[in-house]
Amino acid sequence: MQTYYNLESIPELTQDSVVTFGVFDGLHIGHQDVLKTVRARADADGLVSVLFGFYPHPLAFLAPEKCPPVLMCLPKRIETLEQLGIDIAIFVNFNEQIASMSPDAFVNNVLLELYRAKHVVVGYACQFGKDREGNAALLESIGEQLQFGVTVVPPTQLNGLPVHSTRIRQSIARGDLGLASQLLGRIYSLSGTIIRGDGRGKELGFPTANIEPGEQLCPPNGVYAIRAKLADRWLDGVLNIGIRPTFNGTKFQVESHFFNFNEVIYGENIEIFFIEKIRSERKFSNMRALVQQIHRDIAVADEILAQQPTVT
């Protein structure tokens, strides 16, 4: 897959395309239905498949105070899009140039001129152009006028309700990771860099790796059974999200303890998959009580993970 991060870097296409556009945060099962339609149309018509996406979310530019937390970091999106068979992915910063384009200008200047779109595939709730004036119906109308095909993919439903990123964020925020994973079509995960902590876990006999999650959405504070991908290795462990009240902490931290692992991995990238929540975070009366609970958490996590199929 060819990947580009600004409009200026995209080489002139030599082949007509099927294009879709949007934020695609999470690449959930609704997004996957759109992308399967793109891939099928490209295969049927001998066209190249193109995704034009925005990262970060357009609200980071339009209304930062309303910008939602991220469900999937950009490298993970790129990796997943490649697995889904997209030929070209472009992720750009939403800026004044894009924000000021009328729907007609967006279609003509970006989709038709830049990407040579012969067919455009969108979800039912798509919005585009200045002040989000464009929608699926307008795109179909423009397609008829300018003679390019348009496919509007109907909502993907789960349990009788449409699948969308807001619903996934709500389920993660309330700790319903099972529903979130169903909506995503995969186990929810965080990707981040291993950073230095204060060494408290090692002092207690449980060395930990602190993860910097950036703008990604974290589940509620508590202890989780996790599976982690570190380069080409898989690690099992437990993870604590919170402020560590036993130590009168106030700083939010994401720290993991991996079983049978004691390597120095500062600066390395890791992906954490949340398998199951074990308990909520709470304050213990002393270190002995905390250590005893950690032993119990590890035993519970080990049992959970022994029954969990390998993450793919």
Side-chain angles (χ1 to χ4, degrees), residues 104 107-108 112 141-148:
D104 283 322
V107 170
N108 279 286
L112 301 184
S141 176
I142 297 173
E144 290 179 4
Q145 296 171 23
L146 301 182
Q147 297 187 321
F148 63 88

Side-chain angles (χ1 to χ4, degrees), residues 60-121:
F61 173 81
L62 296 169
E65 71 283 358
K66 297 180 181 179
C67 187
V70 173
L71 291 175
M72 180 184 275
C73 68
L74 187 54
K76 180 68 175 178
R77 290 188 210 184
I78 299 299
E79 176 189 326
T80 305
L81 287 171
E82 190 161 19
Q83 293 169 353
L84 291 169
I86 297 302
D87 297 313
I88 300 174
I90 303 102
F91 278 96
V92 302
N93 284 309
F94 193 88
N95 55 27
E96 184 59 41
Q97 176 190 6
I98 297 172
S100 62
M101 283 185 183
S102 68
D104 283 322
F106 177 76
V107 170
N108 279 286
N109 299 344
V110 177
L111 302 185
L112 301 184
E113 182 177 341
L114 195 57
Y115 300 144
R116 295 182 54 168
K118 289 298 181 184
H119 203 97
V120 180
V121 178

